[in-house]
Amino acid sequence: MNRYRKLNILLLLFIVFSLYAVPQPDVSREIVLQGSYGEVMSISVEPIAAQTQAYRFGMPFDIQDISVQSSAALGRPIAHWSFLSNSSTPFSINVNAEKLTYDGSIETAVPLDYCLTFNYNVSYSIDAEELSYSSSFTHSTDDNPKSYAITYVNGEGKPVNSSDIDLSQLRGSVDGTIFFKFLENQGDKTSEEIISNDDLTPPGNYFARVTLTLEVNE
């Protein structure tokens, strides 16, 4: 009898402490610090998790989702990207993107063409004046591989050549966004015709490798 009474008392104390426990708020946050020394060139990509904004952003995604169809404005945000350089020569971004391919053994499955839009906000210096400029470029798998020069403007907002930039200073972009959507036409058929056909796009997983390279312009 005493054993049960002790057990009941312990359970009661646990319940009381649980009821009066004060929830601890999440008061910690992380920030990313960037720095460099000497000559540096770097490029990085951080995928966006699909849970972001109730699955409206990120990967993985449903290939039949409206956000990745060719009719979407920019497409679906799938990743953030950054680049940084203080090389003494101009640079460009080289993109090599494989077609999106079914990860299975069904012979009727076809690879899918798509385009990626890269938004960026580049910071740089011209004649000791610190400037920044937002721009973008779009790469398609049917135009592979390809290099893209970064766009700069002067203090009046007019485009300038890379030779006008102070190449000894850091220049780059942090947390630009990469958007994905299918091309309107996939060979002799539209994307909608192919994606809605289970023989051509069977249910399952699809993969593609995309390589970004920060390359010096000789």
Side-chain angles (χ1 to χ4, degrees):
M1 188 67 179
N2 289 335
R3 183 188 310 164
Y4 291 118
R5 188 173 297 147
K6 290 180 180 178
L7 178 60
N8 289 335
I9 292 174
L10 288 175
L11 288 175
L12 181 60
L13 288 174
F14 176 78
I15 293 172
V16 170
F17 285 136
S18 297
L19 289 175
Y20 285 93
V22 178
Q24 295 297 315
D26 181 7
V27 294
S28 64
R29 292 292 184 271
E30 293 183 355
I31 62 173
V32 178
L33 302 180
Q34 281 189 315
S36 67
Y37 176 75
E39 189 168 294
V40 60
M41 292 185 71
S42 66
I43 187 168
S44 62
V45 177
E46 181 182 358
I48 300 173
Q51 292 88 342
T52 306
Q53 293 293 320
Y55 293 88
R56 294 196 300 271
F57 300 163
M59 298 182 291
F61 52 79
D62 185 343
I63 65 171
Q64 293 185 332
D65 191 88
I66 188 64
S67 65
V68 296
Q69 303 312 310
S70 59
S71 57
L74 283 176
R76 181 185 181 94
I78 60 169
H80 296 302
W81 73 299
S82 303
F83 59 88
L84 184 69
S85 175
N86 64 352
S87 170
S88 58
T89 56
F91 65 86
S92 57
I93 309 294
N94 180 276
V95 185
N96 191 353
E98 299 175 353
K99 295 186 179 184
L100 195 65
T101 305
Y102 174 66
D103 182 31
S105 58
I106 298 178
E107 295 182 356
T108 56
V110 298
L112 301 171
D113 280 308
Y114 57 89
C115 65
L116 298 170
T117 297
F118 296 80
N119 285 357
Y120 61 89
N121 183 28
V122 61
S123 298
Y124 50 97
S125 177
I126 299 180
D127 296 330
E129 181 182 6
E130 299 297 326
L131 300 170
S132 64
Y133 181 66
S134 296
S135 188
S136 66
F137 61 87
T138 299
H139 178 79
S140 301
T141 50
D142 61 355
D143 192 18
N144 219 15
K146 189 174 180 180
S147 294
Y148 301 87
I150 299 301
T151 303
Y152 301 97
V153 300
N154 60 20
E156 299 175 351
K158 297 179 180 179
V160 297
N161 297 322
S162 294
S163 57
D164 297 319
I165 308 299
D166 186 349
L167 299 177
S168 66
Q169 299 297 315
L170 284 171
R171 56 202 191 279
S173 172
V174 176
D175 286 341
T177 304
I178 304 175
F179 298 84
F180 174 101
K181 72 174 182 178
F182 290 111
L183 294 183
E184 183 176 358
N185 295 313
Q186 308 278 341
D188 59 350
K189 293 182 173 62
T190 65
S191 292
E192 287 75 11
E193 289 174 332
I194 290 182
I195 293 173
S196 62
N197 187 322
D198 282 354
D199 291 329
L200 301 179
T201 52
N205 293 322
Y206 290 75
F207 295 93
R209 183 184 300 275
V210 179
T211 303
L212 304 182
T213 306
L214 199 65
E215 57 183 16
V216 172
N217 299 335
E218 298 297 341

